[in-house]
């Protein structure tokens, strides 16, 4: 079915199945699925459920992207990658897109030649300790042993923070969140440092979450988002505007339940352009007219994805905060569909 959808869309738009200008899209269409790089396992963000089906905040973006291309949110395969292996996997073409709590930085954008397509979560690095350690602030961590994932921005942030505060620490290097949990829960390190969203997810997975405390300090800016490799502007546009569609859908009141109905036409021209009843936005990026309808129906708009996976009513328990839509006082904002 997804192949028929794909071929019909291509025929309707006059697209070829080859050509240097759309190499990644052509490759993805030819193999019949999207290959998405995700975390090796971070509850709420990317982890297989009891049936082995990958779900989570970052996974939902991959499913939306697959749905925009194929009309099928399940037309995606997942490659778990660590902090060290994620950029190599993207650069080598092993994955088509990386959606793995990855911080947008200058060097990653320019030196590693990765294209960040937007920010899907505004985060910051923090520290988590056991309450039994008896500390209430990161400024009390002089001499502490710290579990830290290698190949991440947290390594330099940690070094800078301790140096600027005249403190020393003993780094305990780990590669995956699973390894961090094992060591931290077993008292092999005094504290665990990573993005505060990751700390919340790790805390929620503990048998006694109340025995753990996330310290109040936020020591960095960590704008997280999906990324693709440099060199294919059309693919970057598709990846970017799928994310923008999920964000705009929240602002415009388009949900997984009403997207199909609203695609028939509304009195709001921006909704009509986004959902394909007006204009030719799908054709502009090489997709069918209803690409955004399928993206939104995959797992919902940005708010639905947030609340279902990591919101206050989940074990992760994250407030929207800076990740509220801009009209509600947050930083989440999409350029307009016009």
């Amino acid at each position: 079915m997804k192949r028929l959808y794909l071929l019909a869309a291509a025929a309707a738009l006059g697209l070829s199945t080859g050509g240097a200008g759309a190499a990644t899209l052509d490759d993805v269409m030819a193999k019949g699925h999207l290959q998405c790089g995700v975390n090796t396992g971070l509850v709420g963000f990317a982890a297989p459920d009891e049936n082995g089906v990958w779900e989570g905040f970052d996974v939902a973006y991959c499913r939306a992207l697959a749905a925009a291309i194929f009309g099928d949110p399940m037309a995606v395969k997942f490659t778990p990658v660590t902090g060290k292996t994620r950029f190599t996997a993207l650069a080598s073409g092993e994955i088509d897109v990386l959606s793995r709590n990855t911080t947008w930085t200058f060097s990653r954008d320019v030196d590693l030649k990765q294209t960040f397509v937007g920010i899907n979560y505004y985060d910051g690095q923090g520290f988590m300790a056991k309450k039994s350690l008896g500390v209430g602030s990161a400024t009390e961590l002089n001499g502490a042993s710290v579990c830290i994932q290698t190949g991440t921005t947290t390594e330099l942030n940690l070094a800078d923070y301790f140096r600027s505060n005249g403190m020393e620490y003993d780094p305990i290097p780990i590669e995956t969140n699973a390894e961090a949990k094992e060591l931290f829960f077993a008292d092999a390190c005094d504290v665990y440092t990573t993005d505060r969203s990751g700390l919340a997810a790790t805390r929620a997975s503990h048998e006694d979450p109340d025995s753990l405390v996330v310290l109040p300090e936020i020591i960095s800016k960590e704008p997280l988002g999906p990324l693709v490799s440099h060199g294919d502007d059309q693919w970057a546009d598709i990846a970017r505007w799928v994310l923008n569609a999920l964000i705009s859908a929240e602002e415009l009141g388009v949900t997984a339940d009403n997207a199909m109905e609203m695609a028939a036409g509304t009195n709001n021209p921006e909704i009509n352009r986004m959902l394909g009843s007006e204009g030719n936005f799908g054709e502009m990026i090489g997709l069918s007219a209803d690409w955004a309808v399928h993206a939104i129906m995959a797992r919902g708009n940005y708010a639905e994805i947030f609340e279902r996976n990591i919101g206050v009513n989940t074990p992760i328990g994250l407030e929207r905060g800076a990740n509220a839509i801009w009209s509600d006082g947050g930083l989440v904002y999409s350029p307009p569909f016009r």
Side-chain angles (χ1 to χ4, degrees):
M1 179 63 71
K2 69 188 178 190
R3 184 63 179 169
L4 293 175
Y5 172 92
L6 182 155
L7 292 174
L13 299 175
L15 299 176
S16 69
T17 56
T24 307
L25 178 59
D26 287 345
D27 290 345
V28 170
M29 292 173 70
K31 65 189 177 186
H33 70 270
L34 174 73
Q35 197 74 39
C36 188
V38 292
N39 201 296
T40 53
L42 185 62
V43 175
F45 286 88
D49 64 16
E50 61 275 10
N51 297 314
V53 178
W54 283 84
E55 295 293 352
F57 181 81
D58 290 327
V59 168
Y61 168 77
C62 302
R63 296 208 181 277
L65 182 55
I69 299 167
F70 297 106
D72 180 3
M74 303 307 288
V76 53
K77 296 182 180 180
F78 296 95
T79 300
V81 289
T82 68
K84 279 187 173 181
T85 63
R86 54 185 163 175
F87 301 120
T88 302
L90 184 59
S92 69
E94 179 184 352
I95 57 177
D96 305 310
V97 62
L98 176 63
S99 183
R100 182 203 180 280
N101 55 318
T102 299
T103 303
W104 190 346
T105 70
F106 180 96
S107 59
R108 288 173 174 177
D109 199 335
V110 177
D111 190 40
L112 290 182
K113 302 189 184 307
Q114 317 278 294
T115 296
F116 285 80
V117 300
I119 298 170
N120 69 350
Y121 194 93
Y122 290 88
D123 212 339
Q125 184 174 338
F127 299 91
M128 182 165 62
K130 290 186 173 66
K131 286 184 178 179
S132 59
L133 190 64
V135 299
S137 168
T139 59
E140 303 171 31
L141 294 178
N142 188 33
S145 56
V146 183
C147 280
I148 182 169
Q149 291 191 48
T150 56
T152 66
T153 57
T154 55
E155 290 182 289
L156 179 58
N157 295 337
L158 178 67
D160 287 349
Y161 181 78
F162 273 75
R163 180 180 176 183
S164 64
N165 283 279
M167 301 189 299
E168 296 183 355
Y169 67 99
D170 178 23
I172 308 297
I174 48 96
E175 289 199 22
T176 67
N177 188 64
E179 186 180 357
K181 289 196 298 184
E182 180 180 352
L183 292 176
F184 177 62
F185 293 167
D187 295 322
C189 52
D190 297 316
V191 295
Y192 176 35
T193 184
T194 190
D195 300 336
R196 284 171 65 89
S197 62
L199 296 179
T202 301
R203 181 177 180 273
S205 68
H206 192 267
E207 60 183 12
D208 182 13
D210 290 339
S211 68
L212 307 176
V213 58
V214 177
L215 302 179
E217 287 80 6
I218 300 175
I219 68 170
S220 69
K221 293 186 297 183
E222 305 294 330
L224 311 179
L227 56 155
V228 298
S229 290
H230 278 186
D232 189 337
D233 289 343
Q234 184 195 30
W235 183 243
D237 286 343
I238 291 171
R240 177 178 301 111
W241 283 97
V242 166
L243 176 60
N244 288 339
L246 301 179
I247 293 170
S248 290
E250 176 183 358
E251 178 185 347
L252 297 170
V254 183
T255 69
D257 290 336
N258 68 20
M260 186 66 75
E261 178 183 354
M262 296 183 80
T266 73
N267 60 5
N268 186 321
E270 183 166 14
I271 293 177
N272 296 342
R273 289 189 292 265
M274 181 174 71
L275 300 185
S277 62
E278 292 183 20
N280 62 340
F281 283 16
E283 182 179 357
M284 289 181 186
I285 55 175
L287 299 178
S288 64
D290 58 354
W291 64 273
V293 179
H294 291 284
I296 295 162
M297 289 177 63
R299 291 295 184 270
N301 62 31
Y302 182 87
E304 291 176 292
I305 291 169
F306 191 103
E307 297 304 334
R308 179 180 300 114
N309 293 288
I310 58 176
V312 293
N313 294 318
T314 70
I316 313 302
L318 293 172
E319 300 277 355
R320 287 292 294 268
N323 294 292
I325 204 78
W326 69 279
S327 54
D328 289 338
L331 299 176
V332 176
Y333 189 103
S334 167
F337 279 79
R338 66 169 180 261

